[in-house]
Amino acid sequence: MLKFPPIKTIAAALSSSFQLSSKSHRISSSALTRLRRSFTAITAAMGDDSGMDAVQRRLMFDDECILVDESDNVVGHDTKYNCHLMENIEKGNMLHRAFSVFLFNSKYELLLQQRSGTKVTFPLVWTNTCCSHPLHRESELIPENSLGVRNAAQRKLLDELGIPAEDVPVDQFTPLGRMLYKAPSDGKWGEHELDYLLFIVRDVAVSPNPDEVADIKYVNQEQLKELLRKADAGEEGLKLSPWFRLVVDNFLFKWWDHVQRGTLPEAIDMKTIHKLI
């Protein structure tokens, strides 16, 4: 009986072959992207990821994150799957652009979400309103006034929380700052992101997508402090996302005060990239 090499070995060899042939046959970058997605999906299906939720699997292989250097210059793109494998992150070449939205209602309460249990990274943790990635597409690569990131934030608020685009106009997002961080999730998965921190004050209609969100709640400052206390004490199994905790510990409450005073523009600092690794 013939003995074939492992599927991962075959996929890697084919991928290398196509990369080499592209130089002489001018295979388009879009074709190579599709091939890379296919090979990644094959190896995942044959490995430990065969039980991955179907929706999360589609997002992991279809979404192309924007790779950046530590100065936030675009250096490439890769699948969400590859960008969140800890083995790739540790190699130091998967830093990608992200955003974290903090949405307040007219009572200045902050909307929090609990991530769905089917999420690949950090399932069932509590976090800020919405955390995701601008994708490698024209509308989300626009650098002027962080427009690409704001477009992505509007898209994901609809995807995750069912918030209509007209409830969160892109010109109402205030980019306050950027931070760079790295965080492991479960050993296999993790995050290494250059994260744009966006604030918005709007009363919105919310209809959470259960594939993305397990629960939501609005909190005032005192209620959030109680959540922090419970998380620190390990009560009720409550956990917070690492990026949310970094924002809480370094920026959130002073920026929240600016929201309540109507002086948020005074807090804007988009020149500094805070390295919180």
Side-chain angles (χ1 to χ4, degrees):
M1 180 179 293
L2 292 174
K3 186 176 181 180
F4 291 96
I7 189 70
K8 290 185 179 181
T9 303
I10 297 172
L14 286 171
S15 181
S16 297
S17 175
F18 275 112
Q19 288 174 1
L20 289 171
S21 66
S22 69
K23 295 178 182 179
S24 57
H25 297 289
R26 297 182 181 178
I27 295 176
S28 70
S29 61
S30 60
L32 285 173
T33 295
R34 291 193 297 273
L35 286 167
R36 184 174 64 248
R37 289 176 182 168
S38 299
F39 293 134
T40 305
I42 289 170
T43 56
M46 298 299 292
D48 296 334
D49 305 318
S50 56
M52 190 185 296
D53 174 79
V55 172
Q56 297 302 322
R57 176 180 290 277
R58 175 178 56 79
L59 295 173
M60 290 294 264
F61 297 128
D62 288 354
D63 286 359
E64 291 269 329
C65 294
I66 302 167
L67 300 179
V68 295
D69 62 21
E70 292 193 357
S71 297
D72 200 19
N73 300 304
V74 176
V75 297
H77 56 96
D78 209 332
T79 62
K80 186 177 175 184
Y81 182 97
N82 285 335
C83 288
H84 291 85
L85 280 173
M86 205 63 207
E87 63 180 287
N88 291 340
I89 292 171
E90 294 297 349
K91 292 175 184 176
N93 59 357
M94 284 296 163
L95 177 63
H96 55 278
R97 194 172 285 167
F99 63 83
S100 291
V101 174
F102 294 75
L103 184 148
F104 301 84
N105 62 19
S106 57
K107 295 188 289 185
Y108 304 122
E109 295 170 323
L110 173 62
L111 179 60
L112 303 182
Q113 68 154 280
Q114 184 184 33
R115 290 163 65 85
S116 166
T118 64
K119 298 287 280 188
V120 174
T121 58
F122 303 99
L124 296 177
V125 304
W126 282 92
T127 192
N128 49 286
T129 312
C130 181
C131 334
S132 192
H133 315 89
L135 300 182
H136 194 267
R137 57 177 62 163
E138 185 176 356
S139 63
E140 298 183 11
L141 282 163
I142 303 170
E144 289 80 13
N145 300 314
S146 307
L147 180 56
V149 174
R150 290 186 284 128
N151 284 336
Q154 184 188 63
R155 170 178 59 82
K156 287 303 292 183
L157 284 168
L158 176 61
D159 288 349
E160 293 191 3
L161 293 159
I163 298 175
E166 57 266 26
D167 282 6
V168 283
V170 292
D171 62 358
Q172 294 299 302
F173 289 100
T174 300
L176 286 176
R178 294 174 291 175
M179 71 176 188
L180 192 157
Y181 77 97
K182 182 189 295 185
S185 177
D186 62 357
K188 177 171 183 174
W189 304 103
E191 295 283 5
H192 191 200
E193 297 184 330
L194 202 154
D195 197 4
Y196 283 65
L197 308 176
L198 309 177
F199 272 37
I200 185 169
V201 182
R202 303 281 293 186
D203 288 322
V204 298
V206 183
S207 179
N209 174 359
D211 289 320
E212 297 284 348
V213 178
D215 199 3
I216 60 169
K217 65 173 70 177
Y218 280 97
V219 295
N220 59 32
Q221 290 198 24
E222 292 308 311
Q223 290 167 331
L224 178 56
K225 289 175 183 177
E226 177 62 10
L227 283 178
L228 297 174
R229 185 197 67 76
K230 288 182 178 180
D232 289 343
E235 294 181 14
E236 302 175 10
L238 194 148
K239 296 182 179 179
L240 304 177
S241 73
W243 60 87
F244 180 45
R245 192 59 195 252
L246 285 171
V247 176
V248 168
D249 291 345
N250 289 276
F251 312 112
L252 180 58
F253 288 108
K254 60 185 177 183
W255 287 352
W256 201 332
D257 289 341
H258 277 291
V259 170
Q260 293 175 317
R261 294 197 302 263
T263 57
L264 195 57
E266 296 178 10
I268 296 172
D269 176 12
M270 291 303 292
K271 293 181 179 181
T272 305
I273 296 175
H274 300 275
K275 296 184 179 181
L276 304 178
I277 297 177

